[in-house]
Amino acid sequence: MTFWEAFFCGLIQGLTEFLPVSSSGHLALAHTLFGMETEASYLSFDILLHLATLFVVLIVYHRDIFALVPAFFTMPVHLLKNGFRMDALNETERMALLLILATVPLLGAFFVKDYTELLSEYARAVGLLLVLNGLLLLISDRFSGKKKRVLLSPAGAVGVGFFQLLATVPGISRSGATISGGMLFGLSRENAVKFSFLMSVPAIIGANIFNLPEAFSVAVPTQELGYYAVGMLTALVSGFGAMKFLSYISAKEKFGFFAYYCIILGVAVFFWLY
């Protein structure tokens, strides 16, 4: 790995983790471009890049996250005391419950892990999935309409969770899929973006814990530790900018630009490697 490869991968991770254009798809293409897909040690590098973008969420949404921590403990108590009625919960406790429900479908990633890892090695397949990601963004924009819900229903949260499961496939954006799912299940675009970002905390933590045994099985070259730090810092800074940009644009515009970008890139990758 070189300095510029680490910088470029960090930039891709930071920008695409939050913009609805698939960080896993872009990283898979970057690994193909740099010849990194055959190096098992780069799994550790990818994990560190994801942790860097996790820090961005914790920084930007620290107030919401700090409020949610006690809500995870008070929420089940209030549900048990009041016959599992949603109206017995305050807004923060409802959000805690919805985040749990939205995370449950992600357990299915355990059963498809080998297939998704294999798929990431085929850049043409990633290109086709980027096209699908773009079409998903167009559909969600088309049907979002004037929906202004602040919180999802429990069934809607589970539905968005399945959108997140779909995003374990490289080429399908986690933020794009969950934002699209949120809008399709009734959230306004701004609230769908916020719910997507909060969902990313358990998703990123869980995915990294899941991959740690394999990552630790391969020694990280000591001469590349500085490059790992460069990638993490780049992902942190660019991720912060991407999150702020998406929050701004979600209140002003639709996601058509990102949709067309994914479609054009996916088609270009497919025919470039044909």
Side-chain angles (χ1 to χ4, degrees):
M1 183 190 299
T2 66
F3 172 90
W4 289 111
E5 288 173 355
F7 173 83
F8 189 58
C9 287
L11 184 65
I12 289 175
Q13 171 62 26
L15 292 177
T16 59
E17 177 66 31
F18 301 115
L19 299 181
V21 293
S22 178
S23 62
S24 60
H26 280 73
L27 278 178
L29 295 177
H31 288 182
T32 300
L33 178 64
F34 294 134
M36 299 165 65
E37 70 274 14
T38 59
E39 297 291 339
S41 62
Y42 289 125
L43 176 60
S44 302
F45 182 57
D46 286 352
I47 288 176
L48 291 175
L49 293 185
H50 280 85
L51 287 177
T53 49
L54 173 62
F55 291 145
V56 176
V57 181
L58 297 178
I59 292 170
V60 174
Y61 285 99
H62 66 278
R63 292 182 180 177
D64 296 274
I65 293 170
F66 287 152
L68 282 167
V69 171
F72 281 111
F73 297 97
T74 60
M75 176 267 297
V77 175
H78 291 162
L79 281 178
L80 288 171
K81 285 184 177 180
N82 295 276
F84 294 93
R85 290 180 14 247
M86 283 286 289
D87 57 8
L89 306 177
N90 61 38
E91 185 171 317
T92 305
E93 290 171 335
R94 287 199 297 272
M95 177 63 81
L97 176 61
L98 294 174
L99 288 171
I100 292 173
L101 293 174
T103 303
V104 169
L106 200 57
L107 296 174
F110 175 81
F111 301 101
V112 296
K113 178 178 181 289
D114 292 339
Y115 299 102
T116 56
E117 288 180 351
L118 181 64
L119 194 60
S120 67
E121 299 176 8
Y122 295 91
R124 288 179 63 194
V126 174
L128 290 176
L129 288 164
L130 281 168
V131 173
L132 177 61
N133 186 74
L135 295 175
L136 179 63
L137 290 173
L138 289 177
I139 292 171
S140 65
D141 261 344
R142 172 66 179 82
F143 290 101
S144 61
K146 298 181 179 179
K147 298 170 182 175
K148 299 293 182 182
R149 296 188 63 167
V150 176
L151 291 175
L152 290 164
S153 66
V158 174
V160 176
F162 279 105
F163 274 83
Q164 182 166 246
L165 177 61
L166 174 65
T168 59
V169 178
I172 303 297
S173 164
R174 195 210 64 82
S175 64
T178 52
I179 291 169
S180 298
M183 290 193 294
L184 290 172
F185 282 103
L187 289 179
S188 65
R189 187 177 290 104
E190 298 93 322
N191 286 315
V193 168
K194 180 179 179 179
F195 190 72
S196 170
F197 288 161
L198 292 176
M199 283 178 67
S200 72
V201 175
I204 294 174
I205 292 175
N208 287 328
I209 291 175
F210 191 68
N211 287 318
L212 280 179
E214 184 178 353
F216 281 133
S217 67
V218 180
V220 176
T222 55
Q223 67 272 21
E224 294 188 353
L225 290 178
Y227 299 148
Y228 279 43
V230 168
M232 289 185 70
L233 181 60
T234 305
L236 183 70
V237 174
S238 58
F240 185 81
M243 178 178 282
K244 289 296 186 181
F245 175 68
L246 185 61
S247 297
Y248 170 80
I249 202 172
S250 65
K252 302 291 183 180
E253 303 287 345
K254 294 185 176 182
F255 293 141
F257 169 80
F258 301 113
Y260 297 129
Y261 166 80
C262 287
I263 293 171
I264 293 171
L265 176 63
V267 171
V269 167
F270 181 85
F271 285 105
W272 173 51
L273 297 172
Y274 183 72

